[in-house]
Amino acid sequence: MVTLFMAISGGVDWDAVMWPLVEVNPLYGVLFLFYVFVMQFGVLNVVVGTFVAQAAEIASKDREALVKFEIRQWQAYTQRIRTFFQEADVDQSGTLSWEEFSAHLQNQKVKAYFQALDLDVSQAHVLFDLLDVDGSDSVTIDEFLEGCMRLKGHARSIDLNMLIYMNKKVLDQFQHLVRSGEMRHLPKEGV
């Protein structure tokens, strides 16, 4: 038994054990090779499988932790946006007018806070127009939250590609109108 254990664990070279067995009976040599094969590959696969399973479990916990972290970050961000909105809504109407928004951004601390939220306020009126989706000259909390989430951070590749796609589509439609002669029938404004 000790010799068999030593043959698979590196205590003794299995070649040194096999040849005396072959001299006694060649079948013993074949059985010994089968034993070494099964132990090396069978047991090794079980051990490796255990390590892989543990690594997969750790990775899934990391994934769950990452998802929980992102959800907490999103909730904290939305809470900060809500706080900003409530502070800026001085008349407590539930909507933010351009006057309230621009007055609130005059405070340097508020401007820095907005920058910390990854929102560029250098062109405040354009920012307000982007937040005012329905064009009512006032922004509700939902419009404000949705707009801030949409405008957070830098432009991503998908955002730029979407703009290119939409511009190409509009250009194609415009060129089709020009080619078909339908532009003659449009009313002239401002002439």
Side-chain angles (χ1 to χ4, degrees):
M1 284 300 220
V2 173
T3 305
L4 291 175
F5 176 73
M6 289 173 64
I8 63 165
S9 64
V12 67
D13 188 17
W14 60 268
D15 185 47
V17 175
M18 184 187 75
W19 289 116
L21 288 173
V22 170
E23 287 178 15
V24 172
N25 187 342
L27 182 61
Y28 291 157
V30 171
L31 288 173
F32 180 74
L33 284 176
F34 180 73
Y35 165 78
V36 169
F37 177 79
V38 167
M39 293 305 288
Q40 287 287 339
F41 294 104
V43 173
L44 187 61
N45 280 339
V46 169
V47 171
V48 169
T50 303
F51 283 116
V52 168
Q54 289 294 323
E57 184 179 331
I58 290 169
S60 72
K61 286 181 182 176
D62 284 348
R63 192 174 316 125
E64 290 171 14
L66 181 63
V67 167
K68 286 180 183 177
F69 175 76
E70 287 297 322
I71 288 171
R72 280 194 307 272
Q73 290 288 95
W74 180 79
Q75 290 170 338
Y77 183 81
T78 57
Q79 185 55 45
R80 289 192 304 265
I81 295 290
R82 284 181 191 278
T83 301
F84 177 88
F85 183 88
Q86 290 165 350
E87 289 172 356
D89 185 19
V90 290
D91 64 359
Q92 304 294 310
S93 64
T95 61
L96 199 60
S97 67
W98 162 244
E99 291 76 22
E100 289 174 317
F101 184 73
S102 64
H104 199 58
L105 285 179
Q106 296 306 312
N107 184 335
Q108 289 301 322
K109 287 183 181 180
V110 171
K111 203 178 278 189
Y113 179 69
F114 219 66
Q115 292 291 108
L117 293 174
D118 285 337
L119 294 166
D120 183 18
V121 293
S122 60
Q123 296 178 335
H125 206 286
V126 174
L127 176 63
F128 185 81
D129 289 341
L130 288 171
L131 293 173
D132 184 18
V133 177
D134 61 2
S136 63
D137 291 329
S138 64
V139 178
T140 65
I141 184 68
D142 293 331
E143 283 179 317
F144 194 74
L145 265 173
E146 185 179 315
C148 288
M149 296 302 279
R150 190 178 63 245
L151 298 172
K152 180 179 188 261
H154 304 289
R156 298 178 304 247
S157 177
I158 192 167
D159 297 328
L160 297 175
N161 282 301
M162 184 59 103
L163 281 172
I164 291 169
Y165 171 76
M166 290 169 61
N167 282 336
K168 183 177 179 344
K169 231 176 145 175
V170 168
L171 180 64
D172 289 345
Q173 289 173 349
F174 179 74
Q175 287 174 341
H176 176 71
L177 283 173
V178 168
R179 279 192 297 268
S180 68
E182 292 182 27
M183 291 294 290
R184 294 184 297 222
H185 305 293
L186 292 177
K188 294 181 180 177
E189 293 183 29
V191 178

